[in-house]
Amino acid sequence: MSDPRQEVLSLVTARVRDAYVRKAFVVDGGTDLVSLCRQLSERGLTHALVQDGERLGIFTTTDLRDALLRPEPPAALAVREVARFPVIAVQADAEVFEALWLMVRHRVHRVLVRDGERIVGLLGQLDLVSFVANHSHLAALQIDEAGSVDELKAAALQIDRMVGLFAASGVHVERIAHLVGELHARLFQRLWSLVAPAELVAASCLVVMGSEGRGEQVLKTDQDNALILRDGFEHPETETAVQRFSAALANFGYPPCPGGIMVTNPLWRRPVAEWREQLRDWVMGRDAEGPMRLAIFCDAAAVAGDATLLDGLREHLHRLFGDHDAYLARFAAAADQFQEPHHWLGWLPGRRDEAALDLKKLGLFPIVQGVRALALQRHLRETGTVARLHALVAAGALDTTLARDLEDALHLLMTLRLQHQLQAQAAGRVAGNEIQPASLGLLEREPLRDSLAVVKRLRAYLRQHFRFDKL
């Protein structure tokens, strides 16, 4: 029987060109559907690339199904009218993992393979499956095809197993987070569609927040979600739906949020107009919890329903901030509230009396909060910490070297936390954010010490930039 870790390792090291890439069949965008179907039948194919001027798309039998529902007869329909543009593409020298991520991200079964600009062919999901026996594609299929909450739970457990295999095989934590984030988003979307009436789904926007919203979540943590309802919409089954949603997530391994940041809490389930007033109160009011609640909302990402509802609230929030430098300073100051133990940076080998280090409080949170405050000040729309760092550099708002060091520190801290969380799970303990310094080897201690030094630089920069001394 093959070793699962070796199978995942083959996924990490293999290149797209190593897989079975099928030769592409290309047709002109003006070809009518009857003629195209005749050509596909002669070649035993179910899909074709569509060249329409400068753009390139793809036509599959799924598109044919939709085309048959149109009032025009197939013979009068040009394939350009029903094909999907643009086709999702990957470079031949990219890792197979990237092709897998693209399929999951865009919900497609094929990607175009290019060598530079030259078309190599098409890589299909089934060919990718036959090339490497990993289970991430099965998790995505299980999610999409789940007909009940119980079936969806099996997919959620599949994701957990996948994380363990990827981490043990040396896959970079940011790649694991990207793929897991997409799978979790699909999981939440499918669950909401199973427990909520279609009218409620269409007239609302289900969002996830925190690390899940930023795309930095790997292992399951507390539920952080909210619901934005269209103004004037009411449904008698809303309360039942949100209760079923949260109960199912708890059953999947997402514990309820101790702070009640969930759709079951009316504070986090409101019509748009009430959300607008709540955001204003968090910015202008004196609620002590306002800044942290606002920080949580700033990382919101839509996973189901009408995403424009969230977009509108984001625009409203950025208008509220305006030139509120004093508020932003108080907001950013949260990144400076936790300090590492003084003895840590001067740690001596052999010391065994050190207190536990909380990687979230001492490292991850200051980076996330500090970068979030800088992004808000510049009215940037990105939600992920790395995306915010890149946008800040592009806007000339952050030194390139500090941004690069913060990105490296973020990923090091995420990796170290994941490793120790997986070890805790394997030992039957609760997976948290704390680590015992005495349990760290030299190759873990030195990078951790460097990362905490980067966090210290960030805090010093924030104190100067936002003038904490004036608060």
Side-chain angles (χ1 to χ4, degrees):
M1 192 170 180
S2 60
D3 182 356
R5 294 189 181 186
Q6 186 60 40
E7 291 172 346
V8 174
L9 187 59
S10 69
L11 176 68
V12 178
T13 58
R15 303 290 168 178
V16 170
R17 65 170 70 255
D18 298 327
Y20 179 53
V21 179
R22 296 177 182 270
K23 186 176 180 180
F25 172 54
V26 184
V27 299
D28 184 85
T31 306
D32 70 85
L33 290 190
V34 172
S35 298
L36 173 57
C37 289
R38 186 176 295 112
Q39 295 177 59
L40 292 176
S41 178
E42 291 170 354
R43 292 168 173 77
L45 299 175
T46 59
H47 57 273
L49 291 178
V50 180
Q51 188 75 58
D52 187 46
E54 295 296 320
R55 61 178 188 160
L56 187 66
I58 190 169
F59 172 85
T60 70
T61 50
T62 300
D63 301 311
L64 175 63
R65 177 201 63 191
D66 296 337
L68 293 176
L69 299 177
R70 296 177 56 145
E72 305 95 327
L77 267 178
V79 65
R80 68 166 67 93
E81 301 296 327
V82 294
R84 283 165 288 160
F85 296 91
V87 62
I88 304 302
V90 67
Q91 286 293 316
D93 284 331
E95 295 173 354
V96 170
F97 191 96
E98 183 176 343
L100 168 66
W101 181 81
L102 285 170
M103 289 181 185
V104 173
R105 174 70 178 86
H106 296 282
R107 305 189 177 205
V108 296
H109 298 290
R110 302 171 187 84
V111 291
L112 175 68
V113 179
R114 289 184 181 273
D115 186 358
E117 291 300 314
R118 183 177 67 87
I119 294 176
V120 178
L122 286 164
L123 176 62
Q125 190 176 61
L126 292 179
D127 294 322
L128 184 59
V129 171
S130 65
F131 176 68
V132 57
N134 85 93
H135 299 290
S136 53
H137 69 283
L138 294 180
L141 290 175
Q142 278 184 291
I143 291 170
D144 290 344
E145 297 176 0
S148 67
V149 173
D150 287 340
E151 291 178 7
L152 203 55
K153 180 180 179 179
L157 297 178
Q158 186 82 336
I159 298 173
D160 292 342
R161 290 190 290 270
M162 183 193 71
V163 169
L165 285 174
F166 280 171
S169 302
V171 180
H172 292 173
V173 70
E174 62 270 28
R175 295 191 175 188
I176 300 177
H178 275 311
L179 183 58
V180 169
E182 294 297 336
L183 291 174
H184 280 182
R186 289 171 75 160
L187 181 77
F188 300 144
Q189 181 186 48
R190 185 62 184 146
L191 175 59
W192 186 234
S193 72
L194 288 172
V195 302
E199 315 89 78
L200 174 57
V201 174
S204 67
C205 179
L206 178 69
V207 302
V208 292
M209 299 173 292
S211 56
E212 197 78 66
R214 295 191 305 274
E216 296 161 10
Q217 182 62 42
V218 182
L219 292 182
K220 296 185 179 75
T221 55
D222 300 343
Q223 297 179 36
D224 279 336
N225 46 54
L227 191 66
I228 305 167
L229 296 164
R230 192 172 294 157
D231 284 333
F233 175 82
E234 293 183 5
H235 197 286
E237 296 182 34
T238 298
E239 181 65 32
T240 300
V242 297
Q243 293 292 343
R244 291 181 63 194
F245 181 78
S246 288
L249 285 182
N251 190 33
F252 292 176
Y254 297 88
C257 175
I261 306 169
M262 301 182 294
V263 292
T264 51
N265 184 345
L267 177 67
W268 296 94
R269 186 182 76 242
R270 299 166 174 268
V272 171
E274 291 186 19
W275 270 111
R276 290 166 66 93
E277 288 303 312
Q278 181 64 81
L279 293 174
R280 176 179 292 277
D281 185 59
W282 285 343
V283 174
M284 310 290 190
R286 298 181 179 180
D287 182 359
E289 297 294 321
M292 284 314 302
R293 287 173 175 169
L294 186 63
I296 293 167
F297 183 85
C298 285
D299 294 341
V303 293
D306 185 359
T308 63
L309 299 178
L310 175 60
D311 294 338
L313 289 178
R314 284 194 191 284
E315 293 301 321
H316 176 68
L317 180 59
H318 284 285
R319 287 194 298 271
L320 281 177
F321 270 106
D323 297 320
H324 286 23
D325 290 340
Y327 179 85
L328 275 171
R330 292 194 298 273
F331 184 83
D336 204 32
Q337 62 182 305
F338 303 115
Q339 303 288 331
E340 74 275 356
H342 292 299
H343 68 262
W344 167 249
L345 292 179
W347 170 83
L348 297 175
R351 185 172 186 141
R352 290 292 181 268
D353 60 346
E354 296 166 306
L357 292 174
D358 190 313
L359 294 179
K360 182 176 181 179
K361 288 183 178 180
L362 300 180
L364 291 169
F365 176 75
I367 294 175
V368 168
Q369 179 67 3
V371 173
R372 181 162 46 206
L374 291 168
L376 279 174
Q377 186 181 44
R378 286 288 180 141
H379 301 288
L380 300 176
R381 300 309 196 258
E382 287 76 9
T383 52
T385 303
V386 171
R388 284 169 172 161
L389 284 169
H390 293 175
L392 286 166
V393 170
L398 191 64
D399 176 71
T400 303
T401 301
L402 178 57
R404 183 197 62 224
D405 290 347
L406 285 169
E407 182 175 346
D408 291 343
L410 175 72
H411 290 153
L412 183 282
L413 292 165
M414 289 173 62
T415 299
L416 193 58
R417 181 175 66 169
L418 176 60
Q419 290 171 347
H420 284 261
Q421 286 177 334
L422 290 172
Q423 290 171 10
Q425 286 185 344
R429 303 192 306 271
V430 176
N433 296 303
E434 292 189 344
I435 60 171
Q436 296 293 333
S439 68
L440 298 176
L442 182 63
L443 295 181
E444 290 179 312
R445 280 181 173 268
E446 291 301 324
L448 175 57
R449 182 157 51 187
D450 291 342
S451 296
L452 293 181
V454 172
V455 174
K456 195 170 185 177
R457 281 165 50 203
L458 172 64
R459 291 203 308 267
Y461 173 77
L462 294 172
R463 284 195 293 271
Q464 181 182 26
H465 181 78
F466 287 105
R467 301 297 302 273
F468 290 174
D469 59 315
K470 300 296 183 182
L471 295 179

